[in-house]
Amino acid sequence: MSMRDLISGEAELDDEENEDSFDEDGLVKSKEVNGNGNSRIDDSSEEEEDDDDEEAAQAIREGFIVEEEEDDEPEEQRRKRRKDKKRRRAERDAEQEILDDEDLDLIGENNPDYLRAETIQQSKFKRLKRGHKEDRNGAPYGGLASMFDEDEEAAQDYGEDRRSLVRQEPRGQQSDEFADFIEEDEFSGDEEERIRQEEAREVARPREKLFGTLADPKASGLDEETVQLLEDVFGDGNDYNWVLDQEEEAEDGDFAEREIELKDVFEPSQLAERLLTDEDNEIRWTDEPERFQIARRQYKHISMTEAESREESGWIANFMIPEKGLAPDLVEPFHKAVAKVLEFLITDGVEVPFIFQNRKDYLIHTSKVPLTPDPHKQDASPDEIQYVIVKKKLLNENDLWDIFELDLKFRAFIDKRHTIQATYKKLLKTGGPRDELFAEMIPLAVTMEELQDLQDYLHFQHISRIKDAEVLAGGAKPTQRRPGSQNAHFESLRSGRVYALVRAFGLTAEQFAQNALRENRRQYYTEDPHLKPEDIADAAIGEAPYNSSEKIITAAKQMFAEEITMSPKMRKVMRKQYYTTGLFSCTRTDKGLRKIDRDHPYYEFKYLRNQDFRAIARQPDLYLRMLKAEEEGLVEVKITLDGESEFRRRLKEDICSDNYSDTAEAWNKLREEVLDLALRKLHRIMMKSVKEQMKAKCELEVGKTCREELIRRLDQAPYKPEGMPIGTIPRVLTISNGKANRGDPIHWAWVEEDGRIPETGTFKDLSIADNVRPDVESVNAFVELVQRRKPDVVGVSGFTVDTRMLFDNLRVIIKSKHLRSPEFDEDNGESTDIELPIVMVNDEVARLYQNSPRAAKEHPAFSPMIRYCVALARYLQNPLKEYASLGPDLVSISFHPSQSLVPQERLVKLLDTAMVDMVNLCGVDINEAAADPYTSTLLPFVCGLGPRKATNVLKAINTNGGTVKSREELVGSVEKKKAQAVGPLVWYNCASFLYIEYDGAEGDSDYLDNTRVHPEDYDLGRKVAADALELDEEDVSAEMDENGPGAIVRKLIKEDAQEKVYDLILEEYAEQIERNFNQRKGSTLETIRSELQTPFEELRQPFATMSSDEIFTMLTGEASNSLYRGLVVPVKVIRVLEDELLVQLDNRIQGRIDEREIHNPGSQALRDIYFPNMIIPAKILNLDRKSFACQLTLLPEQVSRPERPLPYRHGDDWDEALELADKETLREKNTVTGRTQRVIKHPLFKPFNATQAEEYLGSLARGDAVIRPSSKGMDHLAVTWKVSDNIYQHIDVFEINKETEFSVGKKLIVGKYTYSDLDELIVNHVKAMTRKVDEMMLHDKYQSGSKTDCDNWLSKYSEANPKRSVYAFCIDPKHPGYFFICFKAGINAPLGSWPVKVVPQAFEMQKNAYPDMRALCNGFKIMFGSMINGKKR
């Protein structure tokens, strides 16, 4: 293969272009390709082989794998066919051997077309070539040098060609194969190069002829004896033909013997994306709830004993009780409730929604409270009930999810404890000493931190013995211990002469820790030696490095301090002290001093200090932002101890002796030094541990807040048409003016209650204002549409403040044109109507939907704005379905300002639990889900199911005919020929949440299948119905024998007697069931009563209309913490009046600036100072969120003092002294630099600093830019442009030829580029680089995500394709404007990367410029190939 084959510009297809596809059934669908430039190449040497496999190839294209016809052939025919193939191959080899280089040159001179055809063939085929012996001993041809081959060499081609001797390229040409890498370039060789190549051919030719001459002794000039001797030593070349024959047979029958699987055709990432990996299939077919399998897969190997199971319930209950705040009399019932829930989760294998709906009685504590007898009641009977039943809820649905998560944490805890105990047992088995401290502490450890302390202690004390035990237990070879490792160093001290000084300290580390643990009750007292420390150290002097007393004392102090640090008891003391008296403080760094100004979001904690754990717990998002600022290098988050001096004094008393002498004083001084050293080490350990624990807790709290917010948005029923019951689906007309740019039409969509969209369209203008002439045609069209369609509600939404004007205009039209809602019946039976309702609709789902691939697939003929309107209507009809249909995009919706600080995996899990709760509260019509893809998005959230099992359920239903007639059909039936949709356990979980509409005309339709009643309680439901109908057992039996098990309930419904169930006293029945069967069914019976009355009653809250603040945030993108009174913002002048300015903010909010709020010392006319489209900074005085209007001021004393609302901090919480000192420092620096505020007349100019510019561009598109003042002086400007999300490049612009200090220079210099004005700079520099960024990110080799993600993708690709090399591009977020080209040259090669810089009109790599991505890719291949060839030489 030549390097020409690697060029992306060649006509051959790329892997992605020639990729096979597959459907959800896992059937392979190969593309049929011909030889006209496609992947199937017409090779005359393989014609007969291709003919043999033509039928099999056709079958593969149809999705099936066919066994080779060889299996049906007689053995003789198969041998004959193989013999023919060998003969044909031998003929080809002989023909190539006959034509050497000189012959080919002669043919080329007489017939140039021959060589041209040969060249085409060589570039067309990609076969491995046999080189010279030197080549074969080195790297194989086509290895690293051809690393980025876009087409994969076929194994069959390799198998055929490796046995044939092909004409060799000269060695010089082979090593210089990168010379013709670029197809478009033709390099003309000079005379010297021609002579060199001819000499290389002469050297190569004898090697080619050698193979033939050895076979012919006469031709070789060797006598027969010599040839015989050579054959005896080296063989005749045919000794191992049998191996090659076997390989050939194996290759011929490889695909016939093994079916092609999806993993043979598609990359692992593709299979993982479609949930079709082997692990996904295992989850799909295992009869266990999908969420259980995914959550517990890393703990499959753990098997807990009964004692550990009992321990778990207490462990979880003790963890939850402090946060629950239970009364003392409820603690024991709470423990029992937790144990019961764990039994349901682990033993019964049921999910949280099942427990909450069908085992609710076990979550409630019921007690009988005796009543005080009424003294005024004289005739009270002693048998009369003298107590009242009191029910208290112990666990809610959130608690159940917490128990599920804590169960996983306990499994991880047990796994770690088992690992540590196993290490200790190995230590004992190999003769190690029994460690009493470890044996004492391991049963007392209840947290992962305490287990880690014990593991650290065990390895510190017994590191060598543990390694020896692992070697003996595992049979592994002993590894050489590194003498520099920390534990090895202390081990050598422990076994050396230095340790005598450690023992002389008078007490051990564990004795000291025990004293500290008892708190002022010393158990061990320190004894002073008779000799001073120096004297004992002198006696221990030995060889280097311990050849002086000072070194020995230092080593002894380090050893003793390390023993204290590693003591589990001492760590327990420290951890308790930190959690009870720890205080969090922020200290700004030098970088944060200037970057965090008063307008910065981090300013609220820039000088924050002395925050205890309760304060941090109240504001978890604040702590996460503190850690984020620390990660950015702006602050340091430190933890100090309240009363630290007293704590240190107490510890010194516990370690020092009470004696008074020079010797005792010397030893106590040494002990204090050891204590200080140990406390410094413990402080680092504790601070890291505590910060990580608080971070995890705060992330969980913010995630739970997001979960609660999502539940609030999900917990709303469809918009209720007037006069209809809650849950009725409305007919909706939705309207939007989008971005409301000049000339944009107003789009609308009409959506029926069944989801059909029979009509969409646009209006030109619906403005109704005093100073605007209405578009009569559009208004009449709207009125005609409403009168014809009669919607239940009109929904409005959009992207700007102008949408509010549209809403107001529509309300005026509806009122003036007397547009009414459809008629409905009032309670008295009379028909009436009301004014047509109009509401603002939350569009957060619609914004994600309008441009999504799902929207394009569902409505390919609709424009994005029509799809947006459709999504608005769907939101009004069922918010739950709209959120469920988002799938993974759900995390894109904002539920909390700091949700980005929560790890996405954790956030997704919490949001999924909210979806699971609400979907199971509402239930899913299984037949509707099978018929409607939109409704089927709810299925993955049904109890017991998930995305994999939901897909399987739909396939099984389609296999069974497309409908489900009863819940029991889902488990399948051999007799009824019904395929199984779910296994028994999964069916047990999901049965009560999947309902089938009751059809009284169908004899086999069971009314209870349309209710929340679980099939296990159908007998109870039928018993309740029988009692309500007052049927005796004989009547019930006869009715059921005649009409089936559901006959009694069917009779109750048919007679419309559901009200009778309210006459039954179900409490007594529940008590009887609990006495006789030990089952609590009180809540279940109440559910049966309500479901018999109204099956699957709508339990969600009524549809919530948006508040003024919510509408303001939706249309402006501004929250209360981003736009507020006192904020200085840039405004654009719209009109200049005599006494005021009419201005507009960037978010299109209208503002007014009164003449009194304008600085005008010369009393000039406002028109002489200000002009339309001028950008000026102003301060907000008042903001009306309901009317989208504000009052502003331009007074310098106001604009220079922006006001950011900060929470009140008293003196102990805020470092006011440091704040004042920092202000003075910044004031001095500003005085030195003499910076003056610049205002430039340009639409992109903003008076921002770098941080404000990034915040402003955050919500804008890639490539948008801001021109702003520069901190480098008046002859500089700064341009900030958005490279990608959260990546911004700041460009320094140097100005020359300035007319005045404040004007823009006539010559603008950016590096080596020069521009004449700002517009040219934006177009030819910023926009040019934006196009290059777009070109890079749209390239098929670009990988989104971080460099680590890209490297992981390369590694996985190499694992799946070990013989191939791969490269990809990814962005460099630390250096805006740069990308990485990452590569991996084979599975065993290291990962590598080169930087790629984006410049106007080009990409720069290794100081070379490339005009486009194709040239960049080719340039990379050439440079890499040259580098590889250089290494080979």
Side-chain angles (χ1 to χ4, degrees), residues 704-875:
K704 285 185 175 180
T705 303
C706 295
R707 178 184 186 275
E708 294 301 320
E709 176 60 22
L710 176 57
I711 287 180
R712 185 187 70 81
R713 300 183 194 185
L714 296 175
D715 189 17
Q716 49 180 335
Y719 180 89
K720 188 179 80 68
E722 194 67 30
M724 303 298 289
I726 186 172
T728 303
I729 305 297
R731 295 172 297 174
V732 181
L733 173 64
T734 47
I735 303 176
S736 176
N737 57 355
K739 295 182 179 180
N741 294 324
R742 184 180 297 273
D744 286 353
I746 299 172
H747 296 79
W748 59 269
W750 166 257
V751 182
E752 299 278 6
E753 63 267 33
D754 58 0
R756 291 184 300 108
I757 311 168
E759 193 174 3
T760 62
T762 61
F763 301 120
K764 184 178 179 181
D765 188 13
L766 292 174
S767 299
I768 301 290
D770 296 337
N771 57 347
V772 177
R773 184 177 180 180
D775 182 2
V776 178
E777 183 178 351
S778 295
V779 172
N780 291 340
F782 170 74
V783 173
E784 187 275 333
L785 176 64
V786 170
Q787 292 175 342
R788 176 166 49 87
R789 288 296 184 180
K790 296 191 178 301
D792 295 310
V793 62
V794 174
V796 181
S797 197
F799 307 145
T800 67
V801 173
D802 296 306
T803 300
R804 183 69 194 193
M805 298 172 59
L806 172 64
F807 179 85
D808 294 337
N809 289 333
L810 288 173
R811 192 159 51 181
V812 171
I813 294 173
I814 290 173
K815 190 174 188 66
S816 62
K817 300 296 183 180
H818 305 289
L819 300 179
R820 314 292 290 177
S821 70
E823 292 186 352
F824 58 90
D825 294 334
E826 291 186 324
D827 295 338
N828 57 11
E830 295 182 1
S831 296
T832 186
D833 58 18
I834 60 173
E835 184 179 283
L836 178 62
I838 178 171
V839 296
M840 292 289 291
V841 186
N842 187 338
D843 72 339
E844 58 187 6
V845 179
R847 293 194 186 202
L848 294 174
Y849 176 78
Q850 61 174 339
N851 293 311
S852 67
R854 181 170 63 92
K857 181 179 178 181
E858 292 177 355
H859 307 293
F862 290 174
S863 66
M865 282 308 304
I866 293 295
R867 297 171 190 160
Y868 174 82
C869 293
V870 170
L872 294 176
R874 286 177 169 179
Y875 187 89

Side-chain angles (χ1 to χ4, degrees), residues 351-547:
E351 281 203 272
V352 167
F354 180 95
I355 299 172
F356 188 72
Q357 178 166 307
N358 299 303
R359 299 291 184 268
K360 195 172 294 184
D361 294 278
Y362 294 92
L363 313 180
I364 299 171
H365 175 61
T366 304
S367 59
K368 294 182 178 181
V369 179
L371 293 176
T372 304
D374 186 356
H376 301 287
K377 193 173 182 180
Q378 302 296 333
D379 55 347
S381 170
D383 297 333
E384 188 175 347
I385 297 177
Q386 299 295 322
Y387 61 85
V388 63
I389 297 178
V390 177
K391 294 184 178 182
K392 295 182 180 179
K393 182 182 290 187
L394 299 174
L395 296 168
N396 55 35
E397 203 161 9
N398 292 340
D399 296 330
L400 297 182
W401 286 112
D402 288 342
I403 293 174
F404 175 68
E405 288 298 322
L406 289 171
D407 170 56
L408 299 177
K409 290 184 178 180
F410 185 78
R411 290 168 187 258
F413 173 82
I414 288 294
D415 187 26
K416 189 174 184 67
R417 190 169 73 180
H418 286 175
T419 302
I420 298 173
Q421 289 174 331
T423 302
Y424 182 62
K425 289 178 181 178
K426 290 178 184 178
L427 179 67
L428 295 179
K429 285 183 180 179
T430 55
R434 175 179 171 83
D435 193 309
E436 297 295 339
L437 177 64
F438 179 84
E440 174 191 351
M441 297 295 292
I442 191 69
L444 302 178
V446 294
T447 64
M448 294 291 284
E449 292 77 19
E450 292 175 347
L451 286 181
Q452 186 61 48
D453 294 344
L454 286 170
Q455 188 176 42
D456 293 343
Y457 166 79
L458 201 63
H459 281 78
F460 172 72
Q461 292 288 346
H462 313 285
I463 181 62
S464 61
R465 294 188 183 93
I466 289 175
K467 290 183 176 180
D468 293 340
E470 290 176 350
V471 170
L472 292 174
K477 295 181 180 179
T479 57
Q480 184 176 3
R481 298 190 184 97
R482 291 180 299 167
S485 64
Q486 188 177 16
N487 286 339
H489 167 68
F490 289 116
E491 185 180 36
S492 65
L493 290 178
R494 192 181 294 112
S495 59
R497 302 173 69 181
V498 175
Y499 203 70
L501 185 58
V502 178
R503 286 193 292 267
F505 274 92
L507 82 169
T508 65
E510 296 311 318
Q511 289 172 341
F512 166 62
Q514 186 65 29
N515 286 343
L517 197 62
R518 293 175 66 86
E519 297 182 357
N520 295 325
R521 291 173 294 171
R522 294 179 65 178
Q523 184 175 352
Y524 300 98
Y525 291 87
T526 307
E527 297 294 334
D528 294 320
H530 298 292
L531 299 176
K532 290 185 177 182
E534 295 82 2
D535 298 333
I536 298 178
D538 289 339
I541 292 176
E543 297 181 356
Y546 308 115
N547 51 7

